[in-house]
Amino acid sequence: MSSASAPAKLILCGEHAVVYGRPAIAAPLSDVRAYARVKPGQAGSGLRFIAPDLGENWSAAEQPAHPLSELARAALARLGVEDADLTITLRSDIPIASGMGSGAAIGTALVRALAAHVGLALPPAEVAALVYASERRFHGTPSGIDNTVVAYEQAIWFERREPAPLIEPLTIGAPLTLLVGDSGVRSATRLPVGAVRERWQADPRRYEALFDQVGELVVRARAALASGDIRLLGTLLDANQALLEQIGVSSPELERLVAAARAAGALGAKLSGAGWGGVMLALVTPETRDSVAEALRAAGATRVLGV
Ligand code: PMV
């Protein structure tokens, strides 16, 4: 039996604009993970999937077009395996459709567990490429940041470029204390991403200008992170939230949490991920951490994680 896992992720700043070539910064949430276990199945069974947290059990023969059936087949082909009888169990502690990269984490854990089963270690770039191809097929126009930060499991600067993205490890000058508040509203990534694309097509000048402003702020956030200037970082996160509201991906629930975090002393707060639901993040200090967490719960957060 072989097993593997992969972390959730958080986009610190730059979501949505990253789809249009601007930079973004993301970090893994190593304590919240997805897990995959692979063991030999009965002869002739093919690939069988057991995924209690997804509420699904299926076989690749019955559901060949299931995204995870396809990803498993692609990964096995890359590993030089044609036919395999395997039972694959997938588990995840990451809430789905919440902006924490649950799809990328499950896919990454699956690819890693299959590689471990075959006895090969795939480099992060190859794992990321397999998961990206799968996300592209099923989610429209992903930038690639989710699969990259999850596969590399380190804080990154990311720019979508052709033929390959720019991925740089990030220097962090002072420890960051972040809280993640879950709005409890589930929203599939492709919906806000698709809505932004329609708006951008209808009014490219306005949206390109908004994306440029996000990109400039991400450049400044990188410098603030490197020098450990967390107050400046906080104001940049607030500015990013304002731009995300103008881009049209915020929501009343997220804005209630953002306002509550700021009122309780957070240095900055914004939604994180695709928006319309899912999670927000708040930059706090060890001193304000508990009061901000309390304020988030009082404002309706269904879950508050410390990072
Ligand atoms: O909500 P998530 O975790 O899928 O994050 C999406 C991030 C976007 O920038 C909105 C889309 C993308 O592909 O980068």
Side-chain angles (χ1 to χ4, degrees), residues 9 11 14-19 97-102 135 141-146 187-189 193 272-275:
K9 72 95 208 335
I11 297 183
E15 52 274 269
H16 286 288
V18 70
V19 175
S98 68
M100 290 173 68
S102 92
E135 295 215 324
T141 55
S143 63
I145 191 169
D146 277 23
S187 173
T189 303
V193 170
S272 179

Side-chain angles (χ1 to χ4, degrees), residues 107-149:
T108 301
L110 169 63
V111 172
R112 285 185 178 155
L114 289 169
H117 181 76
V118 174
L120 286 173
L122 290 178
E126 284 206 38
V127 176
L130 281 161
V131 177
Y132 181 59
S134 163
E135 295 215 324
R136 213 162 54 174
R137 195 154 135 55
F138 292 98
H139 299 297
T141 55
S143 63
I145 191 169
D146 277 23
N147 51 280
T148 301
V149 67

Side-chain angles (χ1 to χ4, degrees), residues 18 21-24 143 157-161 164-168 222:
V18 70
R22 275 58 165 198
S143 63
W157 169 274
F158 181 93
E159 284 175 47
R160 179 183 197 177
R161 289 191 184 169
L166 175 72
I167 303 159
E168 290 178 357
R222 177 188 210 168

Side-chain angles (χ1 to χ4, degrees), residues 2-264:
S2 304
S3 49
S5 70
K9 72 95 208 335
L10 203 57
I11 297 183
L12 192 64
C13 50
E15 52 274 269
H16 286 288
V18 70
V19 175
Y20 300 84
R22 275 58 165 198
I25 293 173
L29 292 179
S30 291
D31 292 346
V32 190
R33 305 187 73 86
Y35 303 86
R37 202 176 64 198
V38 175
K39 59 180 191 186
Q42 283 176 357
S45 66
L47 303 177
R48 291 205 66 82
F49 292 84
I50 302 169
D53 299 321
L54 302 179
E56 284 183 86
N57 292 333
W58 73 97
S59 79
E62 287 157 11
Q63 291 194 49
H66 190 292
L68 294 171
S69 304
E70 290 205 351
L71 177 57
R73 271 202 310 273
L76 287 168
R78 162 64 191 82
L79 293 161
V81 178
E82 293 235 327
D83 287 315
D85 299 318
L86 300 171
T87 300
I88 299 165
T89 306
L90 302 169
R91 255 190 357 90
S92 178
D93 295 335
I94 310 167
I96 54 169
S98 68
M100 290 173 68
S102 92
I106 291 172
T108 301
L110 169 63
V111 172
R112 285 185 178 155
L114 289 169
H117 181 76
V118 174
L120 286 173
L122 290 178
E126 284 206 38
V127 176
L130 281 161
V131 177
Y132 181 59
S134 163
E135 295 215 324
R136 213 162 54 174
R137 195 154 135 55
F138 292 98
H139 299 297
T141 55
S143 63
I145 191 169
D146 277 23
N147 51 280
T148 301
V149 67
V150 167
Y152 283 75
E153 201 160 346
Q154 69 181 79
I156 56 163
W157 169 274
F158 181 93
E159 284 175 47
R160 179 183 197 177
R161 289 191 184 169
E162 294 303 336
L166 175 72
I167 303 159
E168 290 178 357
L170 221 62
T171 311
I172 300 186
L176 291 186
T177 310
L178 291 171
L179 290 172
V180 181
D182 191 343
S183 69
V185 178
R186 297 290 160 251
S187 173
T189 303
R190 66 187 155 73
L191 301 177
V193 170
V196 172
R197 181 156 300 267
E198 278 170 24
R199 290 180 202 145
W200 170 73
Q201 279 163 345
D203 192 351
R205 280 240 310 255
R206 173 174 148 76
Y207 281 85
E208 285 292 326
L210 287 167
F211 299 150
D212 278 342
Q213 290 179 65
V214 174
E216 284 158 21
L217 162 169
V218 174
V219 172
R220 297 180 64 204
R222 177 188 210 168
L225 273 170
S227 66
D229 189 344
I230 59 165
R231 289 196 174 272
L232 173 58
L233 182 63
T235 61
L236 294 168
L237 298 182
D238 285 345
N240 197 170
Q241 170 65 22
L243 290 166
L244 288 163
E245 288 173 17
Q246 290 182 56
I247 292 169
V249 293
S250 189
S251 75
E253 293 83 0
L254 285 164
E255 283 166 33
R256 198 159 54 232
L257 298 184
V258 165
R262 289 176 186 159

